[in-house]
Amino acid sequence: MQKSIKIEVKRYIPEKQPTPFYQEYEIPLEPKWGVLDALTYIKDEMDGTLSFRWSCHMGVCGSCGMMVNGQPALTCATFLEEYLPGPIRIEPLDHFRVIRDLVIDTDDFMGKLKRVKPWLIPVEEKPLSEGENKQTPAELAAFKQYTLCINCLLCYSACPVVGLNETFVGPAAIALAQRYNYDSRDQGQAERHDVLLDHGGAFDCTLIGECSRACPKHVDPTGAIQRYKADGALEYWKRLILPRGAASK
Amino acid sequence: MDTQTQAPYKRFRPERYKPQMALSWWWQKPTYLLYILRELTSVFVATYAVILLLTLRALGAGGEAWSDWLTTLQSPGMIALHLVILLFAVYHSLTWFSLAPTALVLRIKDYTVPAKALVVAHVVIWLLCSIAIAAIVLTR
């Protein structure tokens, strides 16, 4: 029985050297450890300078996404046993700027997310006195899947378009735009069309499908984007042909 | 699209390492390779369209040009090319139909038609159309 496993971590320490390098750690192989437990062990027992993000340790916070042997994964939900006999190579999520070691800069994503306006945009504000906005189970089912996104950014790392085209708004942002587009309480489609029909919008997606394979929450951003392409193409022609303001409100 | 909604961070450690994508990215995962092959099918489909146009031109020129063109088409090289094109066209069609459910969500009242059923329906209709066209062309 194997007693230890080798972990190769891609490190970036800007004050030490301008380019990343790999560092190896040999850690004891505990049967039920996740990759995140291994990193925690390294930080606690071997090398306190190692930096990485984590929070909930149960696959809902979306903080601990990293490349594990070249695949984007939530390290809390990825187990050492799956990679025997090792070594396991851990790198920061692909296509993101790296701040330090395994910590990526999410500012670009946050900016993109904000642009698709992922919040309810009602035509008129309903006063609180009129009570809640009711939805039927069918109306909820129309968008519920897209609410499960935890912004872990695995889909951005999986997507070559994100890596090749910096302006692409990306899988999660479009899935979250669709989460509101399909919500019966929302009337903000026109504002989101402005972003999603533009350069860097949904039509920059070339349908590789890797985002949906990487998604730990089965949100299916591929589906969200393709469904948007169908709606967006219709909207494009409406805007071209119909008089001003007659297209979707 | 301008995605910059805030000024870049500058205060304490503003250094960022920007990773570069390898030119061979499409070779690094089987799913990427299958995607690139799917995109490449367009080259073969376009090649066939050109062959079809040349065939029409030869038909228009009539007589000798037409029989010359038929001889060219029967050369081993051309037959091999057609087989390759057929292979890519079939792959193109299969991937196209298998992706149909990503864009199409069919709801009948509260029932959502499963993705597999949509794919099977598309493939069956495709096969029926192909057989019908083959029957018309081959029985004439």
Side-chain angles (χ1 to χ4, degrees), chain A residues 12 14-15 20 71 95-99 105 107-108 111-112 115 141 158 160 163 166 169 195 199 206-208 210 213 223 226-227, chain B residues 1-9 13 15-19 21 25 29 31-32 35 38-39 99 101-105 107 109-110:
Chain A
Y12 169 59
E15 68 270 27
Q71 293 286 343
H95 312 326
F96 287 94
R97 286 182 170 79
V98 183
I99 297 175
D105 187 345
D107 283 359
D108 183 57
K112 288 172 175 174
R115 286 185 65 91
E166 271 198 44
V169 70
V195 178
H199 292 288
T206 58
L207 187 38
I208 301 161
E210 199 64 14
R213 284 186 280 270
Q226 304 332 302
R227 289 177 74 190
Chain B
M1 189 177 71
D2 174 31
T3 54
Q4 201 75 50
T5 55
Q6 60 195 45
Y9 177 80
R13 288 228 162 266
E15 308 94 335
R16 299 285 182 268
Y17 174 73
K18 171 91 180 75
M21 238 169 121
W25 64 268
K29 271 188 205 177
T31 45
Y32 290 169
Y35 155 76
R38 186 194 83 198
E39 298 294 288
L99 288 169
T102 63
L104 184 68
V105 175
R107 283 215 178 81
K109 287 186 179 169
D110 284 345

Side-chain angles (χ1 to χ4, degrees), chain A residues 139-155:
Chain A
E139 283 169 337
L140 176 66
F143 67 86
K144 190 174 177 207
Q145 173 191 1
Y146 305 131
T147 68
L148 301 177
C149 173
I150 56 172
N151 297 341
C152 64
L153 304 179
L154 299 196
C155 54

